[in-house]
Amino acid sequence: MNTARSIMRLPSGRRTKWLILAFWVIVVVALGPLASKLTGAEKNDSQAWLPAKAESTKVLNLQSSFQSPNIFPGVIVYSRPSGVTAADKAKATADARRFATVHGVVTSQIQGPFVARNGRAIETVVPVNLGQNGWNQASSEASKLRSIAQSNSGGVTIYIAGPLGTAADSSKAFKGIDSTLLYATLAVVIILLLITYRSPILWLLPVVSAGISLTAAQALIYLLAAHAGLTVNAQTAGILYVLVFGAGTDYALLLTARYREELRRHSDRHEAMAQALRRAGPAILASAGTVIISLLTLSVAELNSTKGMGPVLAIGVGVALLAMMTLLPALLVICGRWVFWPVRPDFGTAEPTSRGFWARVGRAIAVRPRVVWITTAVVLGALALGALGLKASGLTNAESFRGHPQSVVGQQVLDRSFPAGAGEPVVVVGSPSAAPAIRKAFAATPGITAVTPPVVRDGHAFLYGTLTSAPDSNAAYTTIGDVRTAVDAVPGGRALVGGTTAINLDVRTAATHDREVIIPLILVVVFVILGLLLRALVAPLVLIATVVLSYFAALGASALVFNHLFHYGGADTSFPLFVFVFLVALGIDYNIFLMTRVREEAQQHGPARGALNGLAATGGVITSAGCVLAGTFAALGTLPVTFLAELGFAVAFGVLLDTIVVRSVLVTALNLDLGRWMWWPSKLATRPPRPGDELTTGSRARVG
């Protein structure tokens, strides 16, 4: 214990503060160049996202033995609503020959051109090997094909659709992560810190600390991705920006608020920081520990994209915690009291929170706490009913983008002119001896047309069939299930069904599994941490109940907004799990911030006064922290990707709901109503009341 306290005092030491600063300067200089390499280490190919044990993943692995998994078919679409001309057909034929000369195009697999039955479109399927760069190379390769097709077009409209077109548009969308998202996040954090601190200087210290921690985290993640097999994708890299700045700034706000309190009680700023670290440190450590452990539970997910996200984000939070507990305190002590200008917390001045807004809110709640918490719970419950309308069954390619990128418009032209599944075939792999029977069962399945003859490679027979429904539709998913049933019934060994539609179906199934396993696991983790920190059983159960209620209320509100305001087509299958992880893990932060202070105050003044004093002391900083975290997640809405926009809205709304209503009103009312029983079976629950502990009508007006 003494060793831990000695370590906690290092950033506030008269000499050691300079050593801490020097350490972080060395870290930035040494690791800065590595951080910029993280984008190049991202894995955005299909196998980096898919469930490892899924049937469609096994098909991809088998195909990899003779065909690179980095081959993306591009569907070149020539559209003329009045009907394609002979010149258009001649151009498409000439273009097909020119496509074959492009580096990376798999010449032997070019198909077409094919003229649609309605005579309004032509398609040519051009498989492109994107090489080791995979998804990141899609945009430039699609541009090469587009430049060929658009030359001397003669008025015909050109689109690049299919997997290559979708990958190209996705790559463009995620490129905003490196610039738009970072700048948006920085702007939100700076503006909210200026409002919170009301100082033109103080905001710089948390922002600098967060920026340094982000650089260090990116470098560490790059090293693990390059040399230890850690999987990082563009989606995870984007959320890393938001989480490091959001969570890091939260910890900075809590520590700075406690430091400002201690500056009013101590003439020596070094001693004030030492006391702030001693008193706020355990809450910050427990908070970050909860987030880190909750994120690490994602490692048990079946989806590779979810499995890899957990360790990456946990590293980000861990580095942010280290920076905010070492670098930020050192900077604050080095700068001195003047950094709070124009409102300096001078020694001996009164603590303003005892007379502030949240002190008045607490007094109002104390009049009828039971009525307050029941009313609040009913309102949140009503809002949670909206979650019944959440359509988290997955997004089609068109619904995945905010706007109308070329791949989506091109696919719509294809759907109107060709069989809906053209360009994205269903793949069936089976035994060569059973191939004729498999082909018969495959072709006889409703929803399948144009099955190819079997091709035998490496002891496996491969068959390709075209869907009559759009490959990302529910009807297509039903067809995949029917195909699997049909080919499994063929004697001679089990056949495997893959392809883009089967991949999407397997992702949906894996997401359901992950949600059912990880959510209960996180709840257990949170309960254990809260129980150890608060040394009680009732309080953790009550707090978890409020967090879960807040989660469902956020889902309900999000569903109403998505369906009736933004008119989104649905939500990603992983959406409920990710919202739960971020809202519960981060929501528990505010529980810990509040309840550790309430417990501290209750030990001196009793449970009732402790609840009100704790709210008065932390209400402002919790609200500020919530606004910053909500703002950083809302920055995800700057990207043209539906999943990230939805995630940003849901988490931002949920965090604001959690900080303003749940933590400050619902939990405070429950604290007041349950009284000492909230702390059962700790000593606080059995301690006899002292004179002045209980609130009377008169004392309620004066408490604070």
Side-chain angles (χ1 to χ4, degrees):
M1 182 66 71
N2 291 332
T3 302
R5 288 180 179 176
S6 299
I7 294 174
M8 294 278 282
R9 294 180 70 94
L10 287 177
S12 62
R14 296 182 185 278
R15 295 183 179 86
T16 52
K17 64 188 178 187
W18 297 106
L19 294 177
I20 295 289
L21 179 60
F23 167 79
W24 281 103
V25 170
I26 293 171
V27 166
V28 171
V29 172
L31 299 183
L34 295 177
S36 61
K37 296 182 179 181
L38 180 58
T39 301
E42 292 175 5
K43 294 182 179 179
N44 294 302
D45 56 287
S46 296
Q47 288 170 309
W49 290 69
L50 299 181
K53 298 179 181 179
E55 191 170 322
S56 57
T57 307
K58 294 177 182 178
V59 171
L60 274 179
N61 292 335
L62 290 172
Q63 288 179 293
S64 299
S65 64
F66 65 89
Q67 175 178 299
S68 169
N70 291 318
I71 292 179
F72 285 62
V75 182
I76 318 302
V77 184
Y78 303 81
S79 174
R80 192 184 293 274
S82 60
V84 294
T85 64
D88 295 334
K89 298 174 187 178
K91 172 178 170 48
T93 301
D95 286 349
R97 290 193 294 268
R98 294 178 65 193
F99 294 147
T101 65
V102 175
H103 178 71
V105 169
V106 185
T107 306
S108 61
Q109 296 182 24
I110 293 177
Q111 302 175 45
F114 304 111
V115 180
R117 290 183 179 179
N118 62 14
R120 297 176 181 174
I122 302 171
E123 71 166 358
T124 303
V125 180
V126 184
V128 179
N129 190 337
L130 300 180
Q132 294 300 315
N133 288 327
W135 190 72
N136 295 324
Q137 191 70 18
S139 181
S140 62
E141 295 302 320
S143 295
K144 294 177 184 176
L145 301 183
R146 186 180 296 109
S147 64
I148 292 174
Q150 288 181 338
S151 62
N152 301 316
S153 61
V156 68
T157 305
I158 309 296
Y159 303 101
I160 309 293
L164 178 66
T166 300
D169 288 332
S170 297
S171 178
K172 289 179 183 177
F174 278 105
K175 279 184 179 178
I177 287 175
D178 293 331
S179 53
T180 305
L181 182 57
L182 178 59
Y183 297 143
T185 302
L186 272 173
V188 167
V189 169
I190 291 170
I191 291 171
L192 291 175
L193 286 178
L194 280 169
I195 295 172
T196 300
Y197 288 142
R198 299 181 185 133
S199 167
I201 306 166
L202 183 57
W203 64 270
L204 274 168
L205 303 188
V207 169
V208 168
S209 300
I212 289 175
S213 61
L214 177 63
T215 299
Q218 288 177 317
L220 180 57
I221 292 166
Y222 164 73
L223 290 173
L224 293 173
H227 304 292
L230 181 65
T231 300
V232 188
N233 57 42
Q235 177 178 280
T236 301
I239 296 175
L240 179 69
Y241 282 102
V242 169
L243 194 59
V244 169
F245 270 95
T249 306
D250 271 10
Y251 306 145
L253 284 166
L254 183 68
L255 178 63
T256 305
R258 195 61 189 250
Y259 174 53
R260 183 158 43 189
E261 279 188 49
E262 298 299 334
L263 283 172
R264 301 180 189 278
R265 299 170 183 162
H266 300 274
S267 58
D268 182 2
R269 67 181 188 273
H270 299 86
E271 181 60 26
M273 178 56 75
Q275 290 299 318
L277 286 169
R278 186 175 71 84
R279 294 178 180 275
I284 296 175
L285 290 172
S287 169
T290 304
V291 176
I292 290 170
I293 295 174
S294 297
L295 289 170
L296 288 177
T297 61
L298 296 177
S299 300
V300 305
E302 287 190 349
L303 270 177
N304 280 343
S305 54
T306 303
K307 183 190 293 285
M309 176 181 287
V312 170
L313 298 185
I315 290 169
V317 174
V319 176
L321 169 68
L322 183 62
M324 296 307 170
M325 293 295 286
T326 57
L327 176 60
L328 178 63
L331 290 173
L332 286 168
V333 174
I334 288 170
C335 291
R337 296 175 191 264
W338 68 267
V339 79
F340 289 92
W341 183 86
V343 185
R344 285 171 45 123
D346 293 324
F347 173 59
T349 56
E351 176 56 44
T353 56
S354 61
R355 305 181 306 275
F357 172 77
W358 291 107
R360 296 193 296 273
V361 170
R363 289 194 292 269
I365 295 172
V367 177
R368 290 187 179 86
R370 186 168 300 177
V371 172
V372 171
W373 77 255
I374 291 176
T375 303
T376 306
V378 168
V379 172
L380 292 174
L383 195 58
L385 292 176
L388 298 174
L390 182 67
K391 297 176 286 188
S393 56
L395 296 164
T396 66
N397 286 338
E399 294 166 347
S400 297
F401 296 96
R402 298 167 61 205
H404 305 283
Q406 189 176 111
S407 63
V408 171
V409 179
Q411 188 61 49
Q412 291 171 344
V413 173
L414 285 174
D415 292 344
R416 290 193 297 266
S417 306
F418 294 92
E424 298 188 31
V426 179
V427 184
V428 176
V429 184
S431 167
S433 61
I438 292 174
R439 184 175 188 274
K440 182 178 179 181
F442 187 14
T445 305
I448 294 292
T449 183
V451 176
T452 64
V455 176
V456 178
R457 301 261 190 173
D458 297 329
H460 298 281
F462 291 81
L463 302 95
Y464 299 85
T466 302
L467 289 160
T468 58
S469 304
D472 53 5
S473 65
N474 286 324
Y477 297 145
T478 300
T479 300
I480 293 296
D482 292 341
V483 170
R484 285 175 170 168
T485 300
V487 299
D488 278 347
V490 176
R494 182 173 180 238
L496 301 174
V497 179
T500 302
T501 305
I503 286 171
N504 292 338
L505 177 61
D506 289 341
V507 165
R508 178 189 291 189
T509 303
T512 301
H513 164 272
D514 294 346
R515 186 166 63 244
E516 293 174 351
V517 171
I518 293 174
I519 286 179
L521 188 57
I522 290 177
L523 290 176
V524 171
V525 167
V526 168
F527 174 78
V528 171
I529 292 177
L530 284 176
L532 293 173
L533 181 68
L534 302 177
R535 301 169 195 173
L537 292 177
V538 173
L541 289 173
V542 170
L543 295 176
I544 287 175
T546 64
V547 167
V548 171
L549 179 59
S550 176
Y551 163 71
F552 280 109
L555 278 189
S558 298
L560 293 173
V561 170
F562 296 165
N563 295 339
H564 304 294
L565 182 60
F566 296 159
H567 302 291
Y568 291 145
D572 188 83
T573 50
S574 297
F575 173 78
L577 174 61
F578 286 174
V579 173
F580 183 87
V581 170
F582 293 123
L583 278 188
V584 172
L586 297 172
I588 286 297
D589 274 11
Y590 307 122
N591 270 318
I592 291 173
F593 295 167
L594 173 64
M595 294 301 287
T596 51
R597 186 57 180 266
V598 168
R599 187 176 186 277
E600 180 184 330
E601 297 287 340
Q603 289 175 327
Q604 300 179 30
H605 308 292
R609 286 184 178 276
L612 297 184
N613 290 351
L615 174 63
T618 64
V621 68
I622 287 177
T623 304
S624 298
C627 289
V628 169
L629 188 64
T632 55
F633 268 91
L636 288 172
T638 61
L639 299 178
V641 181
T642 303
F643 168 70
L644 291 179
E646 290 179 335
L647 181 65
F649 175 86
V651 175
F653 179 86
V655 166
L656 290 176
L657 185 69
D658 209 48
T659 54
I660 297 173
V661 178
V662 177
R663 292 293 73 70
S664 304
V665 178
L666 180 59
V667 172
T668 298
L670 286 166
N671 266 323
L672 289 168
D673 193 25
L674 293 176
R676 60 193 180 96
W677 295 111
M678 176 70 90
W679 305 101
W680 186 88
S682 70
K683 293 181 180 179
L684 272 175
T686 57
R687 195 197 78 173
R690 298 173 183 173
D693 279 358
E694 297 302 325
L695 298 178
T696 63
T697 304
S699 65
R700 284 181 184 135
R702 297 191 300 273
V703 74

